[in-house]
Amino acid sequence: MWTKTIQITTAAIALSMLCVGVVSAQEKTVQGTVTDGATGQTLPGANIRVQGTQTGTTTDMEGRYEITVPGPDATLVFSFIGYQTEEVTVGDRTTVNVTLQEEVGQLEEVVVTGYGTQQRGDITGSVSSVDVAEANVGQTSSAQELLKGRVSGLEVLPNSGEPGSGVSLRIRGTTSISAGSEPLYVIDGVPINNTSVTPGGASAGGVSASGSSNPLALISPQDIQSIEVLKDAAATAIYGSQGANGVVLIETKGGEAGASISASYGGKVSYGTLSNELDLLSASEYRDATDGGGNGNASTDWQEETLRSPVTHEHNLSLSGGTESTSYRASLGHLNNKGLLIQNGIERTTGRLNVQHNTLDDRLRFNVNLTGSFLQRKHGFFRQAGGFEHGSIGSMIAFDPTVPVKNEGGEFAEYSDNFRNPVALQRRVTDVTDQNRILGNFSTEADLLENLTLEGTLGIDLQNAIRRSYIPGSGPSRWIGQTATNGGLARQAERNLSNVVTQATLNYNEEFIEGQQFKILLGSEYKRETFQEVGTQNQNFITDATLFNNLGGGIDPSVPFSAKALVEQISFFGRVNYNIDGKYLLEATLRRDGSSVFGEQEKFAFFPAASAGWNIAEESFLDVNNLSQLKLRFSWGISGNQAVPPYESLPSLEAATAFQGVFGPEERIQAGVAQARAANPDLKWEETEEFNVGIDFTYGRFDGSINAYQKETTDLLLDVPVLQPAPSPTKLENVGSVENQGLEFSLEAYVFDRENMTLSVGGNISTNKNEITSLGPRDFIDHTPVSGPGQTNVNAQRLAAGHPIGAFYGPKFVGTTGEGLEQYATEDGTTTSLTEAKNQFIGNPVPDFSYGLNIDFDYQAFDVSAFFRGEQGKQLFNNTGLEFGYLSKLGTSNILQSALDDDVSADVTPAYSSRWIQNASYFRLDNLTIGYTLPNTGQFGLRRARVYASAQNVFTITPYDGYDPEVNTNVTGRGLGFRNLSRPTRGVDYTSYPRPRTFTLGVQLSL
């Protein structure tokens, strides 16, 4: 159903691009130059339009233009972003030179905030902006990738290097233990659902394909105009219960009223390589280490055989323009992003249409933003749990290098019940998800009075995903985790998620006294989320030929599953702004939210906030040349978190064959129903209270900001033990608290701006201290099982008061004995026994500080940009090193070269300790781009033509010896696949999907 809807939507958008024509006449040619009124420099890319017609052009790289006008009475309209529009009557002239004056300064820049906009100089909360044009270089497939290292206080944690995989964002630290810590995403004013709708795939022997996807991967970064990140409670409180973890505001590109029709094309091709290989034993080293052992006579580099150098291409076409009352932009994009694992990647097609129309002398305004997208994801069969069996990457590391990929008979070679041939896993397992999404935003604004505006908005977000998986039964049975008698395994599952939002706001602006501006916002919002899931699975097929397309052909079906959930939220909110001469700024916000996920008496809560700003630079006693802004900000507020599964406040019932009995008049055996979960009618909101103090300054060519914050989350939503006997061992309650505090600093320097050369440098640095202050009735919670043989019931992390979320806990490794045994610390000495060792906190995955640095240099037609980022003072648990870093593994599997170099005896089995908690600080050149804008393109009918070369993940300096120091284990928890409860696991590296280094060639054309 959704596929057909997406196809119709995308086709309609494409058709709208093809149905726009240009009507023009030719009587007279006018030429001239457009310059900056302040500097006298020419303005390339300025728009020139014949008033009342669709005829228009833009200036070239030298600021020159040429246009045909219908006659001497024609009026030319000159416009350029950031400059005042000029209108000039042509008359008898054939040369018309125009000077444009700057329209706004940096302090007057309009910034998108909650339910409206503000001038940057008037903002009293903590808001960071991302230069999208600067960030959108190289190979970027989602909006979150544009944020890496570019916003102080924001961490982007990729779950893996697989294309389309999930991404976690943390704004000012992790605030929750079981409920979500993801920020709210708002696209064109409408909150969207960031839940992954990718269903679970087939699994065998504890191994499965990749899991959660990134929902924002369905939106092309090429369609994004701006990104604002709201960080403190004063900025986010207007979103109430959705804003506790921060808010990311995304505005998409639109047309310009009165602008001539323009088209643009952007295309790029990227080549990827493995950026860092694991140092495994080669075949000759393996034979030497095993005294001529091995299970074959080949010499196989399994990293080379399992991974590839993928070629990715992306194309984006857009068309925009407008009349005096209407503006539009339509775009169509296609991305084919292949992964490092063979047979793995994503293919995405997106179409977008934005239309704005004004009528009744601009007193009535209509806006339509519509996106349709289709994404196909080919999953990599690499995820694995603890135990002996491995997925593609684990088997790639473990597989004997003396064994060939295929044996003499042409079949994939196998030799162990514990490891699968990693090439066979990729070539033979089929696992595909088809995902569709429609994002729609329809709004109307009406000026009831000169200073009173009413706006109504309807937002829809419809997602559908169907996942089809097949694990073949033919060939060696051991590598698919099947027995010789149950053949292949087929599975199909489907998820649907709909999110409908309605908003109504009333804005009132008034200047009662000269220099004193008063603004009031009143609004209401209703949100309805509906989740549905259905799936089935069968085994033992007579043939593999039909894959997952003949589920009835198996003879060992599993019980089908299905689920449905509904969450509703209603909100009323208001905001007051008071501005006195641009010096003294006051803002107060109040929101009341009601959510269906909480107890009957706890569904509603108030979320207040207040902030103040003082622009000291406007005071007469502070007369400093070139100091245009020195603003001191204070803010306080409370926001909430309701990101938990629905129905947790109610007693849940479960129907299952385990409860079967004889029922009914016919006395037949039927499935019964029993209570499955204890109720908590007092369940209520998590609340986060935050204080922030900040300074914004603009001095000459320098623009910066400093923020200090402290926030405490109380009434944590946490599973706690239930006194037995009871329907379930735990229930969700409000217990415990978490505190985050930190500092943020950002600075942008426009080093020089000369006629043919400019240089700007920007950077940010931030630190966050996270601490659990209470877990209620629990002293601690152990979580994150250690993976690998012999690690049953061993956990790597512990939650406890006085320590950060995700802290590593276990024995402290202090060295080895003369006999090669590992030694661990005890209360009063050392021991070689794990049972006698003292368990203690041994590491922290949260960095001491994070930073980013961007450099932009332009010289004539050349442009160069470099972006660096890094983290300092964090640790990772190298679970891969633990499993493959011991000599005792040799003979049954391959090992890391480091195992031959250490002093540990071959009799020692792998053991979790601080030995495997490694320093993962890093410094990375994330992107380097060199571009060239071609001159004199007007003769080819082009307004602008630029070619560029870009390298991503260029180099990384780190002491960590795994694939990559940026690792975040993807963990799901209890729930319906919708609003799951999960422990905030991070900083664990176990056979993770490596991140590629990519080289890109691209072109940008404007017509």
Side-chain angles (χ1 to χ4, degrees):
M1 176 181 71
W2 292 112
T3 301
K4 186 173 292 184
T5 305
I6 288 295
Q7 291 171 345
I8 294 173
T9 303
T10 303
I13 293 171
L15 184 61
S16 70
M17 299 170 61
L18 299 176
C19 295
V20 179
V22 180
V23 179
S24 60
Q26 180 177 1
E27 291 189 10
K28 181 178 181 180
T29 299
V30 176
Q31 63 183 4
T33 303
V34 181
T35 57
D36 184 317
T39 65
Q41 295 181 1
T42 58
L43 293 176
N47 290 303
I48 302 96
R49 177 177 52 85
V50 180
Q51 192 175 61
T53 74
Q54 295 291 320
T55 302
T57 187
T58 58
T59 56
D60 61 17
M61 288 300 298
E62 285 73 39
R64 296 190 297 264
Y65 74 93
E66 184 176 292
I67 192 169
T68 299
V69 299
D73 295 332
T75 298
L76 294 179
V77 181
F78 296 81
S79 63
F80 193 66
I81 295 176
Y83 289 79
Q84 298 176 10
T85 300
E86 292 287 340
E87 297 182 2
V88 179
T89 301
V90 174
D92 296 330
R93 291 176 293 177
T94 56
T95 300
V96 178
N97 297 321
V98 172
T99 299
L100 297 183
Q101 303 298 327
E102 285 193 57
E103 184 175 41
V104 295
Q106 184 156 9
L107 299 183
E108 286 73 44
E109 175 190 354
V110 176
V111 176
V112 178
T113 56
Y115 301 97
T117 59
Q118 283 183 285
Q119 291 183 345
R120 181 171 295 281
D122 295 342
I123 293 176
T124 53
S126 182
V127 179
S128 293
S129 301
V130 177
D131 188 330
V132 174
E134 179 183 85
N136 200 2
V137 293
Q139 184 56 51
T140 55
S141 60
S142 73
Q144 292 102 324
E145 293 182 46
L146 303 178
L147 299 172
K148 288 182 180 178
R150 298 182 184 273
V151 176
S152 60
L154 185 149
E155 288 184 276
V156 179
L157 307 171
N159 290 333
S160 84
E162 183 188 17
S165 64
V167 178
S168 298
L169 262 64
R170 295 292 180 267
I171 297 176
R172 294 186 166 181
T174 301
T175 58
S176 184
I177 291 179
S178 292
S181 289
E182 292 293 314
L184 171 69
Y185 293 92
V186 179
I187 298 180
D188 292 327
V190 177
I192 68 164
N193 198 306
N194 197 37
T195 299
S196 169
V197 295
T198 302
S203 63
V207 181
S208 63
S210 49
S212 67
S213 63
N214 176 7
L216 290 189
L218 281 92
I219 301 172
S220 172
Q222 309 301 323
D223 287 329
I224 296 175
Q225 177 68 36
S226 66
I227 300 179
E228 314 291 340
V229 180
L230 312 185
K231 297 186 290 187
D232 71 338
T236 65
I238 194 68
Y239 290 102
S241 63
Q242 305 170 89
N245 303 314
V247 181
V248 178
L249 304 178
I250 298 174
E251 291 289 306
T252 58
K253 295 177 180 177
E256 182 180 348
S260 58
I261 296 175
S262 63
S264 64
Y265 166 79
K268 54 188 174 183
V269 178
S270 300
Y271 174 81
T273 64
L274 181 63
S275 60
N276 178 37
E277 287 193 353
L278 294 181
D279 192 7
L280 301 168
L281 298 188
S282 65
S284 60
E285 292 171 330
Y286 188 89
R287 292 188 181 97
D288 292 342
T290 56
D291 296 325
N295 294 282
N297 298 314
S299 179
T300 305
D301 184 337
W302 285 105
Q303 290 184 94
E304 182 177 316
E305 296 292 340
T306 308
L307 305 176
R308 63 179 172 181
S309 296
V311 176
T312 293
H313 59 89
E314 183 175 6
H315 309 274
N316 291 278
L317 178 66
S318 68
L319 190 68
S320 64
T323 64
E324 293 292 339
S325 59
T326 303
S327 62
Y328 59 86
R329 183 181 187 271
S331 66
L332 189 65
H334 182 76
L335 168 70
N336 189 337
N337 188 0
K338 291 180 169 59
L340 284 174
L341 279 177
I342 52 180
Q343 307 293 337
N344 170 234
I346 63 172
E347 192 164 356
R348 178 189 69 205
T349 300
T350 59
R352 185 167 185 88
L353 177 65
N354 288 8
V355 178
Q356 297 82 36
H357 178 70
N358 307 327
T359 188
L360 299 180
D361 294 327
D362 202 23
R363 296 178 63 86
L364 185 62
R365 298 172 291 278
F366 301 96
N367 296 278
V368 176
N369 302 312
L370 183 64
T371 298
S373 59
F374 172 77
L375 183 145
Q376 184 177 81
R377 183 179 180 191
K378 296 180 179 179
H379 298 265
F381 205 73
F382 69 91
R383 295 184 67 205
Q384 61 197 68
F388 292 85
E389 297 175 326
H390 290 76
S392 296
I393 295 177
S395 291
M396 176 188 72
I397 298 170
F399 223 68
D400 186 340
T402 69
V403 174
V405 176
K406 292 186 176 182
N407 56 31
E408 294 179 354
E411 297 180 346
F412 287 109
E414 305 284 348
Y415 73 95
S416 171
D417 290 336
N418 299 331
F419 316 119
R420 287 96 163 180
N421 184 314
V423 178
L425 279 173
Q426 295 305 301
R427 295 292 187 189
R428 305 200 59 202
V429 175
T430 304
D431 196 342
V432 179
T433 294
D434 292 331
Q435 188 170 344
N436 310 292
R437 189 169 195 171
I438 293 178
L439 282 173
N441 174 12
F442 311 90
S443 65
T444 300
E445 295 179 74
D447 293 336
L448 305 181
L449 300 172
E450 184 178 355
N451 51 6
L452 183 64
T453 301
L454 176 67
E455 180 176 2
T457 300
L458 170 65
I460 59 171
D461 182 4
L462 307 177
Q463 298 184 69
N464 165 263
I466 300 177
R467 186 167 183 174
R468 302 174 177 92
S469 312
Y470 188 78
I471 302 174
S474 60
S477 62
R478 63 174 72 96
W479 69 267
I480 60 171
Q482 309 278 72
T483 66
T485 60
N486 62 3
L489 185 154
R491 175 186 174 97
Q492 288 202 35
E494 180 176 4
R495 285 181 178 177
N496 291 287
L497 181 62
S498 67
N499 180 29
V500 179
V501 180
T502 60
Q503 298 171 352
T505 60
L506 190 65
N507 280 278
Y508 177 73
N509 300 328
E510 185 62 81
E511 189 173 359
F512 295 108
I513 304 174
E514 185 177 356
Q516 299 188 27
Q517 190 174 29
F518 187 68
K519 296 181 180 181
I520 297 179
L521 166 71
L522 297 176
S524 65
E525 182 176 274
Y526 172 75
K527 184 177 181 181
R528 180 186 178 97
E529 299 173 88
T530 306
F531 171 85
Q532 297 182 76
E533 180 178 32
V534 64
T536 188
Q537 180 174 296
N538 207 343
Q539 296 185 79
N540 205 349
F541 293 83
I542 194 171
T543 176
D544 293 329
T546 57
L547 299 177
F548 38 66
N549 298 307
N550 184 24
L551 286 174
I555 61 174
D556 187 14
S558 300
V559 177
F561 61 91
S562 61
K564 184 176 182 178
L566 172 67
V567 174
E568 293 181 289
Q569 178 182 319
I570 188 169
S571 308
F572 303 94
F573 52 87
R575 180 174 60 207
V576 177
N577 293 87
Y578 189 40
N579 183 334
I580 305 175
D581 293 327
K583 297 180 186 179
Y584 313 112
L585 311 167
L586 300 173
E587 181 176 292
T589 302
L590 181 64
R591 178 160 174 148
R592 181 167 172 80
D593 277 344
S595 175
S596 62
V597 303
F598 295 118
E600 189 65 31
Q601 304 301 317
E602 302 290 347
K603 293 187 183 297
F604 285 86
F606 283 103
F607 300 102
S611 59
W614 177 26
N615 192 356
I616 308 172
E618 296 293 326
E619 297 289 355
S620 58
F621 62 78
L622 187 65
D623 186 12
V624 179
N625 291 335
N626 298 320
L627 181 66
S628 56
Q629 179 184 215
L630 181 61
K631 182 173 62 178
L632 185 62
R633 295 180 282 104
F634 301 92
S635 67
W636 164 88
I638 296 176
S639 52
N641 190 348
Q642 49 143 337
V644 294
Y647 316 125
E648 292 290 327
S649 65
L650 305 173
S652 60
L653 303 178
E654 179 182 6
T657 56
F659 310 130
Q660 66 185 10
V662 179
F663 299 99
E666 299 181 6
E667 296 186 348
R668 291 186 304 175
I669 296 178
Q670 300 184 35
V673 176
Q675 186 173 348
R677 186 158 185 83
N680 180 5
D682 299 321
L683 193 66
K684 61 181 181 180
W685 311 78
E686 279 187 359
E687 290 190 350
T688 298
E689 182 179 23
E690 182 173 6
F691 296 88
N692 188 97
V693 58
I695 298 176
D696 301 327
F697 59 91
T698 302
Y699 179 75
R701 297 179 180 271
F702 297 92
D703 183 66
S705 179
I706 303 173
N707 284 278
Y709 64 88
Q710 179 176 1
K711 60 179 182 177
E712 182 180 23
T713 304
T714 56
D715 292 327
L716 292 176
L717 292 160
L718 187 67
D719 263 335
V720 299
V722 177
L723 187 64
Q724 299 297 309
S728 59
T730 64
K731 70 175 181 178
L732 192 64
E733 290 191 355
N734 294 98
V735 294
S737 56
V738 171
E739 185 177 277
N740 284 274
Q741 54 184 338
L743 295 171
E744 301 166 353
F745 176 71
S746 61
L747 179 66
E748 188 84 16
Y750 304 92
V751 181
F752 55 79
D753 186 357
R754 299 172 185 169
E755 183 176 355
N756 293 318
M757 184 167 27
T758 63
L759 174 65
S760 64
V761 179
N764 68 82
I765 186 170
S766 60
T767 179
N768 173 266
K769 180 184 179 183
N770 175 273
E771 181 180 330
I772 300 170
T773 53
S774 173
L775 285 178
R778 292 191 174 191
D779 293 327
F780 60 86
I781 299 173
D782 288 333
H783 62 112
T784 312
V786 177
S787 297
Q791 307 303 320
T792 305
N793 297 324
V794 179
N795 289 291
Q797 294 177 308
R798 169 171 285 191
L799 301 171
H803 298 277
I805 294 175
F808 297 111
Y809 186 82
K812 182 179 180 180
F813 175 76
V814 295
T816 58
T817 66
E819 295 78 24
L821 302 179
E822 291 185 323
Q823 285 186 303
Y824 313 101
T826 63
E827 290 285 358
D828 52 5
T830 61
T831 181
T832 58
S833 170
L834 279 173
T835 57
E836 297 176 2
K838 175 188 176 183
N839 287 330
Q840 54 189 291
F841 287 95
I842 53 178
N844 182 6
V846 180
D848 293 335
F849 61 89
S850 306
Y851 56 91
L853 175 67
N854 60 277
I855 301 172
D856 294 288
F857 176 73
D858 294 335
Y859 177 69
Q860 295 183 349
F862 290 93
D863 60 89
V864 180
S865 66
F867 179 58
F868 303 85
R869 61 185 177 88
E871 295 179 326
Q872 185 66 35
K874 74 169 187 176
Q875 289 85 42
L876 287 183
F877 167 36
N878 190 345
N879 201 157
T880 305
L882 181 150
E883 180 169 354
F884 299 104
Y886 286 86
L887 283 173
S888 58
K889 294 280 291 184
L890 194 60
T892 59
S893 80
N894 201 359
I895 60 173
L896 295 166
Q897 180 70 45
S898 58
L900 294 179
D901 302 331
D902 61 32
D903 299 325
V904 178
S905 167
D907 297 326
V908 175
T909 57
Y912 171 67
S913 71
S914 63
R915 178 186 178 191
W916 304 107
I917 307 300
Q918 299 181 353
N919 182 2
S921 302
Y922 69 91
F923 173 73
R924 169 171 292 170
L925 175 53
D926 205 48
N927 183 271
L928 178 63
T929 298
I930 301 175
Y932 179 72
T933 301
L934 279 66
N936 303 319
T937 55
Q939 58 184 317
F940 303 107
L942 298 175
R943 290 190 303 159
R944 184 173 183 264
R946 176 178 177 265
V947 294
Y948 65 92
S950 181
Q952 201 151 345
N953 192 17
V954 183
F955 67 77
T956 304
I957 301 173
T958 179
Y960 184 66
D961 56 17
Y963 271 131
D964 197 287
E966 283 189 281
V967 176
N968 183 48
T969 301
N970 186 15
V971 175
T972 58
R974 178 173 60 79
L976 297 172
F978 167 62
R979 291 171 164 251
N980 282 336
L981 292 175
S982 62
R983 303 286 184 238
T985 301
R986 65 177 292 183
V988 179
D989 180 4
Y990 184 53
T991 61
S992 61
Y993 194 114
R995 181 176 305 160
R997 175 178 295 122
T998 60
F999 302 92
T1000 302
L1001 292 176
V1003 60
Q1004 296 170 335
L1005 304 175
S1006 297
L1007 303 175

